[in-house]
Amino acid sequence: IEIDKQGATTVERQSARLAPPPMYQVILLNDDYTPMEFVVNVLERVFAKTPEQAEQLMLKVHYEGRAVCGVYPRDIAATKVEIVRQLAQSRQHPLQCVMEPVP
Ligand code: NFA
């Protein structure tokens, strides 16, 4: 609803569909110290991977340096990054997690 300077009101229907939200990739980075089992656990708990998916994705990060763990709207991606950082910090692991806009 808009009200102009003369006090007239205009009511416009919202378009039927909203544009999809911008999406962000959440990416895990390899390091030499974080235990493989810890990374698998994070992938299961934070990214809802099965044990098999988590193992494969952990190995992809290990051998390729990084891998996309999931794609989410901004706030959800940011929350997952924060949770991974807190889990890693709480165990003193250097595991790095970042988010990047989907190209
Ligand atoms: N490279 C780590 C190791 O050999 C395992 C790891 C995998 C760490 C994925 C971070 C991310 N213990």
Side-chain angles (χ1 to χ4, degrees):
I1 301 178
E2 273 184 42
I3 303 174
D4 69 20
K5 290 165 200 153
Q6 283 79 33
T9 58
T10 309
V11 179
E12 272 184 45
R13 265 189 89 70
Q14 223 180 341
S15 70
R17 292 173 54 112
L18 294 172
M23 300 295 276
Y24 291 79
Q25 299 175 327
V26 177
I27 295 164
L28 276 186
L29 306 177
N30 188 38
D31 65 73
D32 292 339
Y33 304 103
T34 304
M36 289 184 172
E37 193 192 342
F38 179 84
V39 178
V40 169
N41 234 278
V42 165
L43 289 166
E44 291 176 22
R45 290 171 54 182
V46 181
F47 298 97
K49 305 300 182 188
T50 66
E52 294 76 17
Q53 290 172 331
E55 181 83 13
Q56 280 211 347
L57 201 46
M58 180 280 293
L59 288 173
K60 185 173 171 70
V61 178
H62 177 72
Y63 286 117
E64 298 181 15
R66 55 190 268 152
V68 175
C69 301
V71 180
Y72 310 95
R74 185 187 57 223
D75 287 5
I76 294 171
T79 299
K80 289 183 187 290
V81 168
E82 193 51 42
I83 291 170
V84 171
R85 289 177 177 167
Q86 282 177 19
L87 288 170
Q89 251 199 331
S90 76
R91 299 295 199 97
Q92 314 258 60
H93 297 315
L95 182 64
Q96 296 288 305
C97 186
V98 299
M99 60 191 272
E100 294 182 359
V102 171

